[in-house]
Amino acid sequence: MKKLVNDPKNVVNEAVAGFGAAHADLVRVSTDPIFIVRKDAPVAGKVGIVSGGGSGHEPMHGGFVGPGMLDAAVPGAVFTSPTPDPILAATKAVDGGAGVLHIVKNYTGDVLNFETAADLAAADGVEVRSVLVNDDVAVKDSLYTAGRRGVAGTVLVEKIAGAAADRGDDLESVALVAERVIGQVRSMGVALTPCVVPHAGQPSFTLAEDEIEIGIGIHGEPGRERIKLEPADAIVDRLLGPILDDIPFVAGDKVLLFVNGMGGTPQVELYIVFRRAAEVLAERGIEVTRTLVGNFTTSLEMQGMSITVLKLDDELTTLWDAPVQTAALRWGR
Amino acid sequence: MKKLVNDPKNVVNEAVAGFGAAHADLVRVSTDPIFIVRKDAPVAGKVGIVSGGGSGHEPMHGGFVGPGMLDAAVPGAVFTSPTPDPILAATKAVDGGAGVLHIVKNYTGDVLNFETAADLAAADGVEVRSVLVNDDVAVKDSLYTAGRRGVAGTVLVEKIAGAAADRGDDLESVALVAERVIGQVRSMGVALTPCVVPHAGQPSFTLAEDEIEIGIGIHGEPGRERIKLEPADAIVDRLLGPILDDIPFVAGDKVLLFVNGMGGTPQVELYIVFRRAAEVLAERGIEVTRTLVGNFTTSLEMQGMSITVLKLDDELTTLWDAPVQTAALRWGR
Amino acid sequence: MNLGATWAKAWIRNSADVMSEHRIELIDLDREIGDGDHGENMDRGFQAVLAKLDAVPAEAGPGDVLKMVATTLISTVGGAAGPLYGTAFLKAAIAIADKTDLDGAALVTLLTAARDGIVLRGKAESGDKTMVDAWTPAVDAAGAAQAAGADDLAILRAAADAAEAGALATEPLVAHKGRASYLGERAIGHRDPGAQSSALLLRAAADTAAEA
Amino acid sequence: MNLGATWAKAWIRNSADVMSEHRIELIDLDREIGDGDHGENMDRGFQAVLAKLDAVPAEAGPGDVLKMVATTLISTVGGAAGPLYGTAFLKAAIAIADKTDLDGAALVTLLTAARDGIVLRGKAESGDKTMVDAWTPAVDAAGAAQAAGADDLAILRAAADAAEAGALATEPLVAHKGRASYLGERAIGHRDPGAQSSALLLRAAADTAAEA
Ligand SMILES: Nc1ncnc2c1ncn2[C@@H]1O[C@H](COP(=O)(O)OP(=O)(O)O)[C@@H](O)[C@H]1O
Ligand SMILES: Nc1ncnc2c1ncn2[C@@H]1O[C@H](COP(=O)(O)OP(=O)(O)O)[C@@H](O)[C@H]1O
Ligand SMILES: [Mg+2]
Ligand SMILES: [Mg+2]
Ligand SMILES: [Mg+2]
Ligand SMILES: [Mg+2]
């Protein structure tokens, strides 16, 4: 394992300290417990938005803290949901009196820890609502699984909920918008190489020199199936099929097309993927009206990508376009 | 070699097409010859700014095309400087009557091809000035080398020159600002793993499981020396030493600190690096007043990073802060 | 033999050692069908517990020890295992809150409360390929041993044996809860890491009793 | 033997084949001390040249052929090699512009002009570990052979032999130009890819003359 780290146990501490130093214009960082809040938190009268989860998916979530998006991000250990303490502390730190929304990705650990924190916050008089992101169509949403995972679609939920809070929506309304996005966003990913969790020091899985993993999660969890490497266009088709069939997306829909890098894939490849994905959507009569390309929901140095499609309407489009000022996503100010 | 590509010969074509489709709000793309211009080019009365070089360093340069930065980017084949034709075509496409600045990284191929294009443009009546970026202190600037290479410092030159052109400076003044940045910016990088050029299909170099390459270039050219892996802090110190001693940077200086990912390194590691770099600068009494962290000048999927330090003054700071609206760098609008 | 706060502390101290020793093994199990952090999570949590163990007052009962373990695990482990083990120890602590020494019945109560806590939080059923598949057989075996008049050590040994067998028996299963459930058939042939760490904990309990 | 436009076209056609065949070899040399694209660049350029070769008019002289090669290489190769080879062919084309058949003196003129073009653009001196280290010995050997009264084929063979020896002789050198110059002492032991491709080109020239 070759990594730019000191003691593997300090990866999150040191990275968060570095993040705070690099973005002192946007955020403040708490070191014990560890969380990141926007500099001017709490914003009086505004719904606070908190997200979090294991580290290793950067820029998610710390990179999304700032006006127009998250009020706080709570990074756990690498690939490990944070404990309730920092979630609770972050929740209190961003409560401006209008309540706090928790945006939680659907993993057992995230659900349980956020649940505990929400209970504790409620006991301390902070109103909390939670939404559960579960956009990954690679996983069957059945009684016999932990349900679909939350992956890159989370970025879109956070941006749009953030904009709703920013324009002054109340907690219930912000939660409803977030849930509307969750209902209309679907994703699926592929891995070409595994990632190495610093404390593990070994790849999370192994793939032969000609194998790829279709339906990969963002924690190096194995995916749906392992197949031989194919041309980029064929891989895109494999991911888009299940995504588009799921809601389904149909001719006439306007969508946001998001190609997300898993961390180790060069940008040229992401744009080759985007090109084909846009082509497929055009063939199906689905109109791409907004786009996002880049490393937003990563899995350390994993090579691969995911495709996310969000069905847009006028309101969601307006909220997507609204100003945002964070380390990783910024426009309009 | 596992990559999300179709035919390796079409990597640049397809990626540029995808880029154009994803960022149609910002850019137009020419396919023959290949170049990327801002959507509203040429901007009458504004100095046009063109940069370019081999592909594989994305988001550099296409990701920097837009108001406040580049008017055009000319991507060559992967790691191969573009030929004069597309440089000439891009130059003409962005000439708004106030002349065009070529920002060229100091590599023999880039210098020669931009030189020819500039001569041809001049013959066609377009006034062209060129500046040569050579920020890489890993290479000795002597009569016995091709001179220092242009690496991540190029991003800062492009941003600041772009802002100068945007505020209405004439060609001479924009070139002078660019040269001032070049005089005050220094960089050095490290690789943990090699990159694989798609048409080569093999790693550009090999490193043992415990080796890193100090002073790496951005084309997988071998670096200054190969050493055993060290903790991140020690590696940062190895890079910062030669950078700070070069100009030199001294106590009381205000600087922009830029930690650049080479493409395959996770963001957590970049922030661990940033943390230490900021600490070292603070120890030396050098004040970090602006920051940039992320994958901006990459080398395909190479793992590693470079550190860039730019000495700031009030004018350069104002130009850095000026609005910019590109796919990869955006603030203020 | 006398299973009071001293035993509880020794059990937890031994558990911390065991989690350190088996850190890589648990990581490896979790790499196969999860995300490769279970050993790190358990080790981090129990090291934090260890650091607080000496601060537990001398007059504390075993329930107080377990309560400290619960809150510490909750605030340091994270992931799925943190809340689940945290709840297990919390419910166990509450169930034996009034005891200073644990007899066989109290041990069965402790184990049952712990298992029920895990089920309450995680909603897993037997056969879902989770830590429940170690705990439920352990509770059943402890209950049967106690009903048959076994002594404390034998009860704990029965629990540990059953937990180990239960962990082993997760190997052929498809998972219905937790990360391994994403894998469908591909989880078959791999042991559940949480069931394995549960078996390690219960073996430490029995071994500690044997040393006493 | 008659070295006119037909020979020039055949030479270029053979060169295109040779660059395809040696693509990987040149990439590998460039991976060692450069950026691993030289073989790809040369192959891309000569394939583009090949595609245009049939369009060169029947009445064209060898200079016209070389001029087309020059402009095509300039507009398709890129990198350092594109402008350098482009200038070489351009200067060579100009130097023999008035010829229809090339005698020994004209061949020496062609080679000299090509070499001078490379030096003009690249400013490299002999011993800098560049393609100049293939071309200058080739020019010298061709000049000497011509002065000694050798025929065209012998002149080209002398040039090719010297270029190959020159390319080989770059191996122990430290580079002072191009990417390999960044490497300092670490370039020692590796052959310069541009010198190698130059030797291949000149060998193709001689082989083509031999076939004629
Ligand atoms: N719903 C659940 N009920 C009971 N145990 C569960 C449940 N979900 C997960 N587990 C247990 O948690 C273990 C994984 O713990 P750990 O790896 O620390 O957390 P995470 O899955 O969040 O990475 C699994 O092996 C399983 O035994
Ligand atoms: N200044 C120069 N003068 C002569 N030849 C040069 C010079 N710089 C580079 N070269 C030649 O160019 C070759 C490299 O070509 P190529 O790999 O295609 O371009 P790049 O170095 O831009 O990747 C070198 O092997 C060397 O022979
Ligand atoms: Mg985990
Ligand atoms: Mg090159
Ligand atoms: Mg796990
Ligand atoms: Mg090269």
Side-chain angles (χ1 to χ4, degrees), chain A residues 17-39:
Chain A
F19 186 85
H23 304 291
D25 53 326
L26 291 171
V27 303
R28 277 181 290 128
V29 153
S30 159
T31 50
D32 188 19
I34 295 184
F35 62 90
I36 298 168
V37 283
R38 57 185 271 188
K39 205 181 166 189

Side-chain angles (χ1 to χ4, degrees), chain A residues 121-153:
Chain A
D124 287 348
V126 182
E127 197 186 351
V128 175
R129 282 270 324 238
S130 297
V131 294
L132 220 53
V133 187
N134 65 345
D135 53 319
D136 188 352
V137 299
V139 173
K140 278 219 191 59
D141 188 12
S142 89
L143 277 177
Y144 304 109
T145 68
R148 287 197 315 248
R149 300 175 285 216
V151 290

